[in-house]
Amino acid sequence: MKKRNLLIIAAVAGILMTGCSQGSEAQTETTATIQETETTAEATEELTEETVKEETSEEETTQAAAETTKAEETEAETEAEAAGEGFEDNFAVDSAAAAEFGSQIKAAVAEKDLEKLADLTAFPVYVGIPESSGSVETRDEFIALGAEQIFTQELIDSVAAADENSLSPSMAGFVLSNDSGRPNIVFGVRDGKLAISGINY
């Protein structure tokens, strides 16, 4: 009887131990599953953060590129305005642009720089040298006239005395000359930009 009771107790103990062992395994499996879930969640969160960073970086790059393009366009517009480009007619030219262009002409005449003056000229151009047709068709023809014929002392003095800051537009353009009005250099809008259109003696 005693022996039988011992066997029963041993069997119960075995069953209990097996149950505990299975419970422990189940608990271990559950813990492992929880850990895997947490690891997956962390990885997903990291990927999400990286994606957000990449998207933010792309947006910043796009925005920076757009700002650079806008700045370049603004700079180009400013340069075009400074060079006297984009004007519809002589009356659309502001006084600052006219004064700036007039200063460039005065400098070229004072230096007797025919190349520089040619750069400021639109061809064909009227050049009223005595005993000539007056019309000069190309830059080469203009240069061929020579500095001595173009830069007479009277023209140099008249242009030097001109006040480029008080030029008034007309249909013909702007006139750089002394108070007497001649000789003079006339400039105005040609194809949207300022250029010399006539030299009168």
Side-chain angles (χ1 to χ4, degrees):
M1 180 90 175
K2 211 170 186 186
K3 200 171 185 185
R4 189 176 169 202
N5 284 343
L6 281 173
L7 285 172
I8 291 171
I9 289 170
V12 169
I15 291 169
L16 286 174
M17 285 180 73
T18 303
C20 285
S21 175
Q22 287 176 348
S24 176
E25 287 175 8
Q27 186 175 3
T28 303
E29 287 177 9
T30 303
T31 303
T33 303
I34 290 170
Q35 287 175 345
E36 284 176 13
T37 304
E38 287 175 354
T39 304
T40 303
E42 286 173 8
T44 304
E45 190 175 337
E46 285 175 10
L47 283 173
T48 303
E49 285 176 6
E50 285 177 14
T51 303
V52 169
K53 283 179 185 174
E54 285 175 6
E55 288 176 356
T56 304
S57 177
E58 286 176 10
E59 286 175 9
E60 288 172 354
T61 303
T62 304
Q63 187 175 358
E67 287 173 3
T68 301
T69 303
K70 188 174 181 181
E72 288 172 354
E73 287 174 358
T74 303
E75 187 177 337
E77 286 172 7
T78 303
E79 288 175 1
E81 286 175 8
E85 295 178 4
F87 297 116
E88 288 182 20
D89 56 37
N90 296 326
F91 298 99
V93 179
D94 60 82
S95 57
E100 170 61 27
F101 196 78
S103 295
Q104 292 178 42
I105 295 172
K106 288 181 75 170
V109 171
E111 295 164 16
K112 296 184 182 179
D113 190 332
L114 199 54
E115 293 282 344
K116 189 184 282 187
L117 196 67
D119 290 341
L120 301 172
T121 303
F123 297 95
V125 63
Y126 176 80
V127 180
I129 295 173
E131 299 175 12
S132 72
S133 66
S135 181
V136 178
E137 299 299 316
T138 66
R139 178 191 174 92
D140 289 340
E141 284 181 33
F142 184 74
I143 299 296
L145 291 172
E148 287 184 14
Q149 282 200 86
I150 298 293
F151 299 116
T152 64
Q153 192 57 51
E154 292 81 7
L155 180 69
I156 292 169
D157 293 341
S158 181
V159 170
D163 182 4
E164 70 272 23
N165 294 306
S166 61
L167 297 172
S168 299
S170 68
M171 291 295 288
F174 300 86
V175 181
L176 271 179
S177 71
N178 60 18
D179 292 336
S180 68
R182 287 181 82 106
N184 62 50
I185 294 180
V186 180
F187 69 91
V189 175
R190 181 86 69 90
D191 297 326
K193 64 181 182 178
L194 290 174
I196 294 171
S197 56
I199 303 175
N200 300 294
Y201 294 90

Short mmCIF file of all heavy atoms in Angstrom, two decimals, residues 43-76:
data_model
loop_
_atom_site.label_atom_id
_atom_site.label_comp_id
_atom_site.label_asym_id
_atom_site.label_seq_id
_atom_site.Cartn_x
_atom_site.Cartn_y
_atom_site.Cartn_z
N ALA A 43 12.88 47.83 -36.54
CA ALA A 43 13.41 47.88 -37.90
C ALA A 43 12.50 48.71 -38.80
O ALA A 43 12.95 49.53 -39.61
CB ALA A 43 13.57 46.47 -38.46
N THR A 44 11.18 48.49 -38.65
CA THR A 44 10.20 49.25 -39.44
C THR A 44 10.29 50.73 -39.12
O THR A 44 10.26 51.58 -40.02
CB THR A 44 8.76 48.75 -39.15
OG1 THR A 44 8.71 47.35 -39.42
CG2 THR A 44 7.74 49.47 -40.00
N GLU A 45 10.44 51.04 -37.81
CA GLU A 45 10.55 52.43 -37.39
C GLU A 45 11.81 53.08 -37.98
O GLU A 45 11.78 54.21 -38.47
CB GLU A 45 10.60 52.50 -35.86
CG GLU A 45 10.48 53.91 -35.32
CD GLU A 45 10.40 53.93 -33.79
OE1 GLU A 45 10.01 52.92 -33.19
OE2 GLU A 45 10.75 54.97 -33.24
N GLU A 46 12.94 52.34 -37.96
CA GLU A 46 14.18 52.85 -38.53
C GLU A 46 14.04 53.10 -40.03
O GLU A 46 14.48 54.13 -40.55
CB GLU A 46 15.33 51.86 -38.28
CG GLU A 46 15.83 51.87 -36.83
CD GLU A 46 16.88 50.80 -36.59
OE1 GLU A 46 17.35 50.20 -37.58
OE2 GLU A 46 17.22 50.56 -35.43
N LEU A 47 13.40 52.13 -40.74
CA LEU A 47 13.18 52.30 -42.17
C LEU A 47 12.31 53.52 -42.45
O LEU A 47 12.55 54.29 -43.38
CB LEU A 47 12.52 51.06 -42.77
CG LEU A 47 13.45 49.85 -42.98
CD1 LEU A 47 12.63 48.65 -43.40
CD2 LEU A 47 14.49 50.15 -44.05
N THR A 48 11.27 53.70 -41.63
CA THR A 48 10.37 54.84 -41.79
C THR A 48 11.13 56.14 -41.60
O THR A 48 10.99 57.09 -42.36
CB THR A 48 9.20 54.77 -40.78
OG1 THR A 48 8.53 53.52 -40.97
CG2 THR A 48 8.22 55.91 -40.99
N GLU A 49 11.98 56.17 -40.53
CA GLU A 49 12.78 57.37 -40.27
C GLU A 49 13.72 57.66 -41.44
O GLU A 49 13.87 58.80 -41.88
CB GLU A 49 13.59 57.20 -38.98
CG GLU A 49 12.74 57.33 -37.72
CD GLU A 49 13.55 57.07 -36.45
OE1 GLU A 49 14.78 56.90 -36.56
OE2 GLU A 49 12.96 57.04 -35.38
N GLU A 50 14.36 56.60 -41.97
CA GLU A 50 15.27 56.77 -43.10
C GLU A 50 14.52 57.28 -44.33
O GLU A 50 14.99 58.17 -45.05
CB GLU A 50 15.97 55.45 -43.44
CG GLU A 50 17.06 55.08 -42.45
CD GLU A 50 17.68 53.73 -42.78
OE1 GLU A 50 17.46 53.23 -43.89
OE2 GLU A 50 18.39 53.19 -41.91
N THR A 51 13.33 56.71 -44.57
CA THR A 51 12.51 57.14 -45.71
C THR A 51 12.13 58.61 -45.57
O THR A 51 12.21 59.38 -46.52
CB THR A 51 11.23 56.28 -45.81
OG1 THR A 51 11.61 54.91 -45.90
CG2 THR A 51 10.41 56.66 -47.02
N VAL A 52 11.72 59.01 -44.34
CA VAL A 52 11.35 60.40 -44.10
C VAL A 52 12.55 61.31 -44.33
O VAL A 52 12.45 62.36 -44.96
CB VAL A 52 10.80 60.57 -42.65
CG1 VAL A 52 10.67 62.05 -42.30
CG2 VAL A 52 9.46 59.88 -42.52
N LYS A 53 13.74 60.87 -43.83
CA LYS A 53 14.95 61.66 -44.03
C LYS A 53 15.27 61.80 -45.52
O LYS A 53 15.61 62.88 -45.99
CB LYS A 53 16.14 61.01 -43.32
CG LYS A 53 16.14 61.21 -41.81
CD LYS A 53 17.33 60.52 -41.18
CE LYS A 53 17.26 60.61 -39.67
NZ LYS A 53 18.33 59.83 -39.02
N GLU A 54 15.15 60.69 -46.27
CA GLU A 54 15.43 60.72 -47.71
C GLU A 54 14.45 61.66 -48.42
O GLU A 54 14.85 62.45 -49.27
CB GLU A 54 15.33 59.32 -48.30
CG GLU A 54 16.53 58.44 -47.95
CD GLU A 54 16.35 57.01 -48.44
OE1 GLU A 54 15.36 56.74 -49.15
OE2 GLU A 54 17.19 56.17 -48.10
N GLU A 55 13.16 61.55 -48.07
CA GLU A 55 12.15 62.40 -48.70
C GLU A 55 12.42 63.87 -48.38
O GLU A 55 12.32 64.73 -49.24
CB GLU A 55 10.74 62.00 -48.24
CG GLU A 55 10.28 60.67 -48.85
CD GLU A 55 8.93 60.23 -48.31
OE1 GLU A 55 8.40 60.91 -47.41
OE2 GLU A 55 8.42 59.20 -48.78
N THR A 56 12.77 64.14 -47.09
CA THR A 56 13.08 65.51 -46.68
C THR A 56 14.28 66.02 -47.44
O THR A 56 14.30 67.15 -47.93
CB THR A 56 13.35 65.56 -45.16
OG1 THR A 56 12.23 65.02 -44.48
CG2 THR A 56 13.59 67.00 -44.70
N SER A 57 15.30 65.17 -47.56
CA SER A 57 16.51 65.55 -48.29
C SER A 57 16.19 65.86 -49.74
O SER A 57 16.69 66.84 -50.31
CB SER A 57 17.54 64.42 -48.20
OG SER A 57 18.67 64.73 -48.93
N GLU A 58 15.35 65.02 -50.38
CA GLU A 58 14.96 65.26 -51.78
C GLU A 58 14.19 66.57 -51.91
O GLU A 58 14.41 67.33 -52.85
CB GLU A 58 14.10 64.10 -52.29
CG GLU A 58 14.90 62.83 -52.56
CD GLU A 58 14.02 61.66 -52.97
OE1 GLU A 58 12.82 61.88 -53.24
OE2 GLU A 58 14.52 60.53 -53.01
N GLU A 59 13.29 66.83 -50.95
CA GLU A 59 12.52 68.07 -50.99
C GLU A 59 13.44 69.28 -50.84
O GLU A 59 13.30 70.27 -51.55
CB GLU A 59 11.48 68.09 -49.85
CG GLU A 59 10.30 67.16 -50.10
CD GLU A 59 9.34 67.11 -48.92
OE1 GLU A 59 9.50 67.92 -47.98
OE2 GLU A 59 8.44 66.26 -48.94
N GLU A 60 14.41 69.17 -49.90
CA GLU A 60 15.35 70.27 -49.70
C GLU A 60 16.19 70.50 -50.95
O GLU A 60 16.44 71.64 -51.34
CB GLU A 60 16.26 69.98 -48.49
CG GLU A 60 15.53 70.08 -47.15
CD GLU A 60 16.38 69.61 -45.99
OE1 GLU A 60 17.49 69.09 -46.23
OE2 GLU A 60 15.93 69.75 -44.85
N THR A 61 16.63 69.41 -51.58
CA THR A 61 17.44 69.52 -52.80
C THR A 61 16.63 70.18 -53.91
O THR A 61 17.11 71.07 -54.61
CB THR A 61 17.91 68.12 -53.27
OG1 THR A 61 18.64 67.51 -52.21
CG2 THR A 61 18.78 68.22 -54.50
N THR A 62 15.38 69.74 -54.08
CA THR A 62 14.50 70.32 -55.10
C THR A 62 14.26 71.80 -54.84
O THR A 62 14.31 72.62 -55.75
CB THR A 62 13.14 69.57 -55.12
OG1 THR A 62 13.40 68.18 -55.34
CG2 THR A 62 12.24 70.09 -56.22
N GLN A 63 14.02 72.13 -53.56
CA GLN A 63 13.77 73.52 -53.18
C GLN A 63 15.01 74.37 -53.44
O GLN A 63 14.92 75.47 -53.98
CB GLN A 63 13.37 73.61 -51.71
CG GLN A 63 12.94 75.00 -51.28
CD GLN A 63 12.44 75.03 -49.85
OE1 GLN A 63 12.38 74.01 -49.18
NE2 GLN A 63 12.10 76.20 -49.36
N ALA A 64 16.18 73.83 -53.06
CA ALA A 64 17.44 74.56 -53.28
C ALA A 64 17.67 74.79 -54.78
O ALA A 64 18.08 75.87 -55.19
CB ALA A 64 18.61 73.79 -52.68
N ALA A 65 17.38 73.76 -55.59
CA ALA A 65 17.56 73.89 -57.05
C ALA A 65 16.62 74.96 -57.60
O ALA A 65 17.00 75.76 -58.46
CB ALA A 65 17.30 72.55 -57.73
N ALA A 66 15.37 74.97 -57.10
CA ALA A 66 14.39 75.94 -57.57
C ALA A 66 14.84 77.36 -57.20
O ALA A 66 14.72 78.29 -58.00
CB ALA A 66 13.02 75.65 -56.97
N GLU A 67 15.37 77.51 -55.96
CA GLU A 67 15.82 78.83 -55.52
C GLU A 67 17.02 79.29 -56.36
O GLU A 67 17.13 80.46 -56.71
CB GLU A 67 16.19 78.79 -54.03
CG GLU A 67 14.97 78.70 -53.12
CD GLU A 67 15.34 78.49 -51.66
OE1 GLU A 67 16.54 78.48 -51.34
OE2 GLU A 67 14.42 78.36 -50.84
N THR A 68 17.93 78.35 -56.66
CA THR A 68 19.10 78.68 -57.48
C THR A 68 18.66 79.14 -58.87
O THR A 68 19.15 80.14 -59.39
CB THR A 68 20.03 77.46 -57.61
OG1 THR A 68 20.43 77.05 -56.31
CG2 THR A 68 21.25 77.79 -58.44
N THR A 69 17.71 78.39 -59.46
CA THR A 69 17.20 78.74 -60.79
C THR A 69 16.57 80.13 -60.77
O THR A 69 16.80 80.94 -61.67
CB THR A 69 16.17 77.70 -61.27
OG1 THR A 69 16.79 76.41 -61.26
CG2 THR A 69 15.67 78.01 -62.67
N LYS A 70 15.77 80.38 -59.72
CA LYS A 70 15.11 81.68 -59.61
C LYS A 70 16.14 82.81 -59.47
O LYS A 70 16.00 83.85 -60.10
CB LYS A 70 14.17 81.67 -58.39
CG LYS A 70 13.30 82.90 -58.29
CD LYS A 70 12.30 82.79 -57.19
CE LYS A 70 11.41 84.01 -57.12
NZ LYS A 70 10.44 83.94 -56.03
N ALA A 71 17.18 82.55 -58.65
CA ALA A 71 18.24 83.55 -58.47
C ALA A 71 18.96 83.82 -59.78
O ALA A 71 19.27 84.97 -60.12
CB ALA A 71 19.23 83.08 -57.40
N GLU A 72 19.23 82.75 -60.55
CA GLU A 72 19.91 82.90 -61.84
C GLU A 72 19.05 83.69 -62.82
O GLU A 72 19.54 84.54 -63.55
CB GLU A 72 20.24 81.53 -62.44
CG GLU A 72 21.37 80.83 -61.71
CD GLU A 72 21.57 79.40 -62.18
OE1 GLU A 72 20.76 78.92 -62.99
OE2 GLU A 72 22.53 78.77 -61.72
N GLU A 73 17.73 83.40 -62.81
CA GLU A 73 16.83 84.13 -63.71
C GLU A 73 16.78 85.61 -63.34
O GLU A 73 16.80 86.47 -64.21
CB GLU A 73 15.42 83.53 -63.63
CG GLU A 73 15.30 82.17 -64.32
CD GLU A 73 13.94 81.54 -64.10
OE1 GLU A 73 13.11 82.14 -63.38
OE2 GLU A 73 13.70 80.45 -64.64
N THR A 74 16.72 85.89 -62.01
CA THR A 74 16.69 87.27 -61.55
C THR A 74 17.97 87.99 -61.94
O THR A 74 17.94 89.13 -62.40
CB THR A 74 16.53 87.32 -60.02
OG1 THR A 74 15.33 86.61 -59.66
CG2 THR A 74 16.43 88.75 -59.51
N GLU A 75 19.10 87.29 -61.77
CA GLU A 75 20.40 87.88 -62.14
C GLU A 75 20.46 88.17 -63.63
O GLU A 75 20.93 89.22 -64.06
CB GLU A 75 21.53 86.92 -61.75
CG GLU A 75 22.91 87.50 -61.93
CD GLU A 75 23.99 86.55 -61.47
OE1 GLU A 75 23.72 85.66 -60.66
OE2 GLU A 75 25.13 86.71 -61.96
N ALA A 76 19.97 87.21 -64.43
CA ALA A 76 19.96 87.39 -65.89
C ALA A 76 19.09 88.58 -66.28
O ALA A 76 19.45 89.36 -67.16
CB ALA A 76 19.47 86.12 -66.59
#
